[in-house]
Amino acid sequence: MSIIFCDGISLNYGSQRALEGLSFQMDDNGPVALVGPNGAGKTTLFSCLCGYQRPDSGHISVLGHDPGSSALIGRVAALPQDAKLDARFTIQAQLTYFARLQGLSHTEAREEAIRVLALVDLTDVASKLPGALSHGMNKRVSIAQALLGKPELVLLDEPTAGLDPANTRAIRDLIKSLSGQTRFMISSHNLDELEKLCSQVLYIDKGKLKKTLTVDTSGATQGYLTLKMAKCDDAKLVERLTGLTGITRVETAYTGEFILHTLSGHSPQLEIAILTLIAEQGWQYRLLLNGRTLEDSLFSAT
């Protein structure tokens, strides 16, 4: 059974098409990234998966049930991008209330509130009001709310937007640690973060699915290397790289960043030859990546 199954879903807001013939499935293979420009339909898709909106056509199944089904209570959770807690009540009181809505007793709900606060390393703020917390801490509390009851599927809309690097890493590490028991679909513009977290990427634009990518962390079969330089002679570097056995073409992605097209299944000796060349010329490199970056894979024409 697929975690999520969408077959040809379309939805209009009056004369505006929000989703058009969208079809995909999410299996039990790790976090999935949902990527696309503003207005692409990502939030609308989340609303449909939660059962807040119904598509005009097509079919959706979430954990084998229709979105919004009572069978999904406590099994599916979502974090909207601008989620806010009520400023009048303490963090623990609100999380306890939300846990009660899932059918837990008062004692169980209080224990569950403390458990999820511990997951985001914020048990010490349980008695505080939301206004006493920083933006990053409030975001982490909101993620804790989404984890109440140990849901099987969590939809996160921009979970790290506006956060400092420390909070961003804390959330990323939390998602990684829970991925064995909870499935995540993450909508974000932060491609670097998604590349570190997700096994599959769905790129939608104007309500249509444009690309589906599998993130290959090994890069062994991709036939690409990505080289980012801190200091070099770009023209000379391209010339020297093109002369190496195993490299079929060198493409300049940005200043100081190069995509090396290689023979599939290239040997590690090619990477050693590249690093040796750089050292001989006295150049400095920042990164040699086996494969392509997510950004390049999504937006490159090749």
Side-chain angles (χ1 to χ4, degrees):
M1 178 188 72
S2 296
I3 306 298
I4 296 173
F5 179 78
C6 292
D7 182 21
I9 61 172
S10 296
L11 187 148
N12 297 330
Y13 295 124
S15 61
Q16 182 179 352
R17 178 62 60 92
L19 298 174
E20 183 174 354
L22 197 64
S23 297
F24 71 90
Q25 66 182 43
M26 175 182 175
D27 296 318
D28 195 7
N29 296 320
V32 171
L34 186 62
V35 179
N38 292 330
K42 303 186 297 296
T43 300
T44 299
L45 175 60
F46 272 11
S47 294
C48 290
L49 294 175
C50 291
Y52 303 147
Q53 293 179 284
R54 294 188 180 276
D56 298 321
S57 60
H59 173 69
I60 302 176
S61 173
V62 178
L63 298 174
H65 300 276
D66 293 333
S69 167
S70 60
L72 296 177
I73 294 176
R75 300 178 66 191
V76 178
L79 173 65
Q81 178 179 351
D82 300 319
K84 291 183 180 180
L85 295 174
D86 194 311
R88 300 169 296 171
F89 303 99
T90 67
I91 300 300
Q92 182 169 345
Q94 295 186 66
L95 293 182
T96 299
Y97 173 73
F98 292 132
R100 290 294 306 275
L101 292 178
Q102 294 189 15
L104 300 182
S105 70
H106 183 71
T107 299
E108 292 171 334
R110 283 178 60 85
E111 293 174 350
E112 182 65 4
I114 294 301
R115 183 189 73 83
V116 294
L117 283 175
L119 287 176
V120 296
D121 196 24
L122 286 178
T123 52
D124 56 334
V125 308
S127 61
K128 294 184 178 182
L129 296 174
L133 276 57
S134 68
H135 172 71
M137 295 169 74
N138 269 299
K139 179 73 83 168
R140 284 156 59 193
V141 170
S142 294
I143 290 177
Q145 177 187 339
L147 297 175
L148 286 167
K150 300 181 181 179
E152 297 170 50
L153 172 65
V154 177
L155 309 176
L156 299 176
D157 193 358
E158 294 288 353
T160 61
L163 297 187
D164 59 66
N167 274 302
T168 297
R169 177 161 185 165
I171 290 174
R172 183 178 74 232
D173 290 345
L174 173 64
I175 294 172
K176 280 185 175 181
S177 70
L178 296 176
S179 291
Q181 62 193 66
T182 301
R183 299 297 166 253
F184 293 91
M185 175 173 278
I186 307 167
S187 172
S188 177
H189 294 298
N190 191 332
L191 298 184
D192 288 339
E193 285 299 316
L194 294 177
E195 191 166 19
K196 295 170 184 174
L197 280 172
C198 299
S199 59
Q200 184 182 8
V201 180
L202 306 175
Y203 179 75
I204 66 174
D205 189 13
K206 298 179 181 178
K208 297 180 180 180
L209 181 63
K210 297 294 186 180
K211 285 186 179 181
T212 301
L213 299 175
T214 298
V215 178
D216 180 6
T217 54
S218 70
T221 61
Q222 294 189 14
Y224 297 98
L225 291 167
T226 298
L227 177 62
K228 295 184 180 182
M229 300 295 296
K231 180 182 178 182
C232 72
D233 180 329
D234 284 16
K236 187 175 182 181
L237 174 66
V238 171
E239 179 185 354
R240 293 296 182 89
L241 289 174
T242 304
L244 292 179
T245 301
I247 295 179
T248 59
R249 182 160 69 91
V250 178
E251 174 188 350
T252 302
Y254 305 99
T255 301
E257 183 173 329
F258 307 88
I259 308 300
L260 316 183
H261 296 245
T262 69
L263 299 175
S264 295
H266 62 264
S267 72
Q269 296 303 315
L270 177 57
E271 296 167 41
I272 294 174
I274 293 169
L275 296 177
T276 300
L277 168 63
I278 292 171
E280 289 174 348
Q281 296 297 319
W283 296 331
Q284 297 175 9
Y285 80 99
R286 295 175 51 224
L287 171 73
L288 179 59
L289 173 70
N290 208 335
R292 304 170 79 170
T293 64
L294 178 56
E295 179 181 5
D296 185 66
S297 297
L298 284 172
F299 302 116
S300 174
T302 59

